[in-house]
Each structure stands twice: as C-alpha cells, then as structure tokens.
Amino acid sequence: MFDRLNTGGVTANDMEIRNAIYRAPFTECLHELSRLEAFCLLWNIPRDDIEAERNKLFQQMDDLALVLRFFALSEYQNMGGRFRDYLSDFMRARNQAYNDNKTLQKTDSERFVRAARNSWRIFGDKAFLRPPTKDGKRQRSYPLADAIMVALAEVDPNSVTEEKAAGARELFDQLLTNDEFLKAISTGTNGKGAIHTRITLAKQAARDALLD
C-alpha cells in the first residue's frame, strides 16, 4: 500500500531515499497523514490515488516531505548541522521512538490533524501563499506552511469560530508585512535562526487570535 517507488529513471531525491531506507511505523504514519483530506485540500493534491499520480507533489514525495517537516520543525531546537541531515536523523529517531512508545503515533497524528484542519478552516485555498510578486502571482511557501502548521497544532479546531478565524487571518496577513518574518520565509529558510524566527512569530499570532 505504501510502496511509492521512483520509476522515472532519474536520481532519487532526499525524501524518496528516506522513504526507501526507513521502513517503519513513523514512515507509514507520514504516508497516512499525507492523504488526510484537509492536507490534500491545502496543497491541491487529489485524494484519489490514480489521479494523485499525476500531481507533482505526490509524484516527487514532496507531500511526505511536508508532513515530515511539520514534525521535525515542531522540535527544531534539536537541529544541528545541515537541514537535510536533520530531517533524515529525525525520521530515523522517530521511527525508533514509535517502537519504544506505542502512544506517540496517536499523539503525533492528533497534532497534525489539528494543524491541517485549522489551516484549512482559517485560510482555505489561500493557505501558505506568499505575498504577490511584481506580476501579481502568489506561490505556496513551504517555510510559511511550516510556521502556520506548527503554530496551529495546539488549537482545538472546534474552538475556531468564524470571528476567531477572521482575526487569525488578519494577524497572519500582518506577519506578511513584517520584515523579520518575511526574511525568515525568504532567505536562508533552512537555517535554525530563520526557523526559530518564523515559528516564534507565528505562534504568537496564533495565541493572540485564537487562545486569548
């Protein structure tokens, strides 16, 4: 069910290699969560597996990488060295942790579900969009998604009223005019300092809008 192999005759990317090497419970959890309805809606990934095969994020396992980033950057304080190595180290360690702690998968899954559902409820199909370029185009941003998803992971989706959602959108829109935040999602985004900045500021916005 979870065997998604590189069949394009090209060099495997980092996530494809991790998926092949780490065949354990956390890896399976990444696959399961990547098919969550709210997550697929956020990234415009078809839920039907056959249709998904034509989706670039699905084809290149970037959907799995996005789920992995959520968990790894929830614990970014433990990062040392290169970002790509940290993701691999985290994946290996989390697989072992799932074997040692049988309740961790449930806790992780619940956090991710909250983050995805809150993101969709608050932002809808405009989630994770960077400010428009000069030609008016807006692209989805992995670093921006990191910040928003981690920030919203502890919020009960049932508590997010329309009024609170509107307040959250306003505060996150303000972040997109904050030079410090913009730099953290635009330049050196995989550095620990940039990760700390964007997640810290996003968590503060989430607290102010949703938890007060």
Side-chain angles (χ1 to χ4, degrees), residues 128-172:
F128 317 143
L129 291 174
R130 292 173 51 83
T133 57
K134 291 181 179 180
D135 59 6
K137 293 182 179 179
R138 301 185 70 184
Q139 299 290 331
R140 283 187 172 80
S141 162
Y142 288 10
L144 181 55
D146 297 336
I148 291 174
M149 289 277 288
V150 172
L152 296 179
E154 305 307 325
V155 178
D156 178 2
N158 293 323
S159 71
V160 181
T161 63
E162 287 299 326
E163 182 179 2
K164 287 187 174 182
R169 285 192 294 273
E170 181 177 352
L171 289 184
F172 277 101

Side-chain angles (χ1 to χ4, degrees), residues 11-62:
T11 303
N13 63 37
D14 289 341
M15 194 63 220
E16 289 169 331
I17 293 171
R18 295 184 192 109
N19 182 66
I21 294 173
Y22 305 124
R23 310 298 293 173
F26 177 61
T27 305
E28 293 183 1
C29 185
L30 296 182
H31 281 270
E32 292 171 2
L33 292 175
S34 73
R35 306 306 291 142
L36 181 72
E37 181 179 14
F39 178 78
C40 290
L41 288 169
L42 287 164
W43 292 98
N44 197 27
I45 301 171
R47 303 243 7 250
D48 179 82
D49 286 345
I50 296 177
E51 292 183 17
E53 289 289 352
R54 296 189 288 270
N55 179 272
K56 186 176 180 180
L57 288 176
F58 187 90
Q59 288 175 349
Q60 299 181 351
M61 293 193 177
D62 285 344

